[in-house]
Amino acid sequence: MDGAAAGRYGKQVLFRPIGINGQAKISAATVTIIGLGALGTVSSSHLCRAGVGRLKLVDRDFVEIGNLQRQLLFDEEDALKRLPKAVAASEKLKKTNSEIVIEHEIADVEPRNVEALVAESDLVIDATDNLETRFLINDACLKNEIPWIYTAALGSTGVVMSIVPGQTPCLRCYIDRLPPAGAIASCDTEGVLSMTTAAAASLQCAEALRLLVGLKPTEGMLYFDVWERSFETFYIDRKDDCPACGLGKYEFLDGTAYSFTTVLCGRNAVQIQPPAESEIDLELLADRLQQAGEASYNGFLLSFKAEGYELVLFPNGRAIIRGTTDEAEARNLYARYIGT
Amino acid sequence: MEVTVVLFATLMRYHPQGEKNKPITMELPEGATINDLIERLGIGENEAKQAFIRHKSRPFDYKLEEGDRVAIFPPVAGG
């Protein structure tokens, strides 16, 4: 056994499709992981342990007790401290592998920042929980010719599909447009098992390593059901009239099809992203909000409780309003307490 | 003509006998399309996104043939 096969990545190097050459490619790669929830905590852990040279972790949210059932990197202390997921994940992963570069970004992925977030990436890992962000990733990755892996999970079922610009169909060849709000099931109504999300993330990362070592993506969309123990692959054609990969119209990236209010999957919460970014002094605002309810600031975010709702505010003005899934009600609370 | 339908992910709730994963056998008139089948099952317009026959994607106006096995998918968006 030579040095590489005996070292940190030994077992992976012994796996023939990877080998020493493949491992060198993995170590030289940059991968951006968007979302650090149930999918992203597992995918980031796999890719960190596999030795991806540079991992960029992006998430907009903070850790809560209700996440621990399926978000495998986090613990109760993270939830008690309400750490941003990007921070908590980065801390855990740095302890796991100090030989790679791990960067984190507490950010919502939006038209104005998505290209900067995926820049310099050899691959983008979709670990999001909504279609709108996926459509945005699809646009940004097609435009910048970056492969990405669509992965989604709900209940006991999951799907995984590699999207390689110029080679495979894209997400909009599969789902032509965003369904209207409320038209499709979410984790709120269907729930999700940790075995589903962990299986989806594992299949996604096997595909990631395939692509990073320079192999062709597997074809088609894999569908599985962990409860019924079924796996099937379905084949989608590239559509010449696909708005994104066929016609080159990036409607989500240019903002024409993008909304700034999002109901968060499984959270009884709505996110509000003000159209214009601002820089808020959260410490000062926490003092002011003490008059109206219970306000606290933990160095990363402000939490404010009143009227049975909780508003969590980030320095750039983005807020997560808990206690409602009504977008209009959330906007109203934002306007009343934070201002527009 | 007789076709077999399998509903996936959240569309399983439209199974007429509530047996989720069990294929549904349906009798349809000659010339019936995938759209006709979706309508017959009461699946909402925005809920079905892709239909596959023998694992290959087909448009919703595709004319079904005797013995086709149709798989119908919603968009899967959770995570």
Side-chain angles (χ1 to χ4, degrees), chain A residues 134 150 174 232-233 235 237, chain B residues 49-50 55-57 76-77:
Chain A
R134 290 184 172 105
Y150 161 57
Y174 171 45
E232 282 193 71
T233 302
Y235 300 93
D237 290 325
Chain B
K49 267 296 163 199
Q50 279 282 345
H55 292 87
K56 189 148 172 38
S57 179
V76 183

Side-chain angles (χ1 to χ4, degrees), chain A residues 178-190:
Chain A
L178 206 56
I184 58 169
S186 76
C187 304
D188 271 319
T189 53
E190 306 294 320

Side-chain angles (χ1 to χ4, degrees), chain A residues 223-257:
Chain A
Y223 168 90
F224 68 86
D225 186 326
V226 295
W227 201 255
E228 303 296 338
R229 209 187 57 181
S230 67
F231 280 77
E232 282 193 71
T233 302
F234 294 92
Y235 300 93
I236 297 156
D237 290 325
R238 270 186 86 174
K239 286 188 185 152
D240 294 339
D241 61 349
C242 167
C245 75
L247 306 175
K249 281 180 11 197
Y250 305 124
E251 296 163 335
F252 288 81
L253 189 59
D254 68 22
T256 52

Side-chain angles (χ1 to χ4, degrees), chain B residues 1-62:
Chain B
M1 70 181 158
E2 196 174 272
V3 299
T4 310
V5 185
V6 189
L7 301 176
F8 283 88
T10 51
L11 296 184
M12 286 178 191
R13 68 173 178 273
Y14 290 102
H15 193 295
Q17 286 87 42
E19 292 181 83
K20 295 197 163 190
N21 274 27
K22 285 252 177 74
I24 306 159
T25 305
M26 288 177 77
E27 188 62 41
L28 293 167
E30 291 301 320
T33 63
I34 294 172
N35 260 329
D36 297 331
L37 185 155
I38 289 170
E39 199 176 312
R40 175 88 67 98
L41 287 165
I43 299 171
E45 189 189 345
N46 289 301
E47 286 186 86
K49 267 296 163 199
Q50 279 282 345
F52 299 87
I53 294 177
R54 287 179 286 278
H55 292 87
K56 189 148 172 38
S57 179
R58 297 288 180 201
F60 283 6
D61 59 4
Y62 178 86

Side-chain angles (χ1 to χ4, degrees), chain A residues 32 118 122-128 131 133-142 145-151 161-165 168-172 204 207 211:
Chain A
T32 299
V118 303
D122 298 291
L123 177 70
V124 172
I125 292 288
D126 160 30
T128 64
L131 271 186
T133 309
R134 290 184 172 105
F135 278 21
L136 189 54
I137 293 170
N138 191 56
D139 279 359
C141 286
L142 287 174
E145 297 181 349
I146 302 167
W148 71 284
I149 307 174
Y150 161 57
T151 305
M161 180 168 79
S162 277
I163 294 167
V164 180
T168 69
C170 81
L171 185 62
R172 291 194 74 184
Q204 179 184 44
E207 191 70 17
L211 296 178

Side-chain angles (χ1 to χ4, degrees), chain A residues 269-297:
Chain A
V270 175
Q271 172 178 268
I272 294 194
Q273 178 71 65
E277 194 148 326
S278 53
E279 190 61 42
I280 300 175
D281 184 335
L282 294 179
E283 208 167 355
L284 200 71
L285 183 61
D287 277 347
R288 184 154 63 79
L289 286 171
Q290 289 291 2
Q291 317 291 328
E294 190 189 318
S296 62
Y297 172 62

